[in-house]
Amino acid sequence: MTTTATSPRQPVYAQAVEGFGTVTFTPVDPAADSALIHGWVTEERARFWGMAGADRALVQEIYEDVDRRTTHHAFLARRDGIPVALFQTYDCAEDRVGECYEVQPGDTGVHLLVGPVQGAAEPGFSSRLIAAFLAFVLADGTTRRIVAEPDARNDKALARLERTGFTLGPEVELPEIDLPEVYLPAKRARLAFLSAPESR
């Protein structure tokens, strides 16, 4: 039996979803959560996350870098206390995606990795989880538009975004980042946009 460290971090947002459960978002604790995240990001199903060859130490290092930033944030989403997804938000003006399109005030970028399904597939699981994600992002009152940039080859993610109400934008080349604290290879991505209700 494998044991992991227990994070002292507390949820920053909770939403009770009727017929689904309570979804909470807790900031990632790089040391306590690295084993769980490593297990998720190195699965074949997560190949578009771009961390397939990473070991646990590298995963922890990457999320330590995110944790130090004020413009980028990573959260573990839990459903009734059970981890179900990794969710990241960022200021588009302070991210490489900002070099690929005209950033507008109030643009918040998002990344989402749904964890492995436990047991039989549950109809509507992803859609209800994504609805909670969007409510969380918009709860800050400053986000006017949500921006996603999945891998351009990830047809499943693009279709899910469209079903959620996102408008697909152009394909772009996210530039390589090669810094002492973080390395990201160049990536062909497809932009997608969702305006906040009052902005539509």
Side-chain angles (χ1 to χ4, degrees):
M1 180 176 175
T2 301
T3 58
T4 58
T6 301
S7 171
R9 298 187 177 187
Q10 298 299 311
V12 294
Y13 182 85
Q15 181 181 25
V17 181
E18 186 176 353
F20 186 70
T22 298
V23 180
T24 59
F25 296 91
T26 304
V28 165
D29 182 321
D33 298 329
S34 61
L36 173 68
I37 295 173
H38 176 258
W40 287 359
V41 301
T42 54
E43 288 189 344
E44 167 60 22
R45 57 181 291 280
R47 63 191 179 281
F48 293 122
W49 199 254
M51 296 173 67
D55 60 19
R56 179 179 172 179
L58 178 57
V59 169
Q60 180 170 330
E61 184 179 321
I62 288 169
Y63 284 95
E64 285 172 345
D65 178 68
V66 172
D67 201 43
R68 286 190 292 267
R69 298 173 182 261
T70 59
T71 56
H72 292 62
H73 308 280
F75 306 90
L76 273 180
R78 291 179 170 84
R79 176 197 189 189
D80 294 335
I82 299 172
V84 291
L86 175 62
F87 185 58
Q88 296 178 209
T89 63
Y90 59 90
D91 180 346
C92 294
E94 299 296 329
D95 189 83
R96 63 178 178 167
V97 74
E99 299 180 32
C100 302
Y101 82 104
E102 187 174 343
V103 178
Q104 298 179 9
D107 278 2
T108 296
V110 296
H111 297 300
L112 166 65
L113 176 65
V114 177
V117 175
Q118 303 297 322
E122 182 180 335
F125 179 89
S126 294
S127 61
R128 286 187 281 188
L129 195 57
I130 290 171
F133 294 152
L134 299 180
F136 170 49
V137 175
L138 296 173
D140 66 5
T142 63
T143 295
R144 298 176 59 188
R145 187 169 63 162
I146 298 172
V147 181
E149 32 93 342
D151 190 293
R153 300 165 296 172
N154 193 344
D155 295 331
K156 185 176 180 180
L158 292 168
R160 183 183 297 128
L161 288 170
E162 282 195 289
R163 287 196 303 272
T164 306
F166 280 76
T167 299
L168 296 185
E171 285 193 16
V172 297
E173 182 79 15
L174 298 179
E176 177 186 53
I177 294 178
D178 190 2
L179 300 172
E181 65 274 16
V182 64
Y183 173 76
L184 294 172
K187 184 180 91 168
R188 193 72 185 166
R190 181 80 181 269
L191 298 181
F193 304 93
L194 178 69
S195 295
E198 64 275 14
S199 302
R200 293 179 188 174

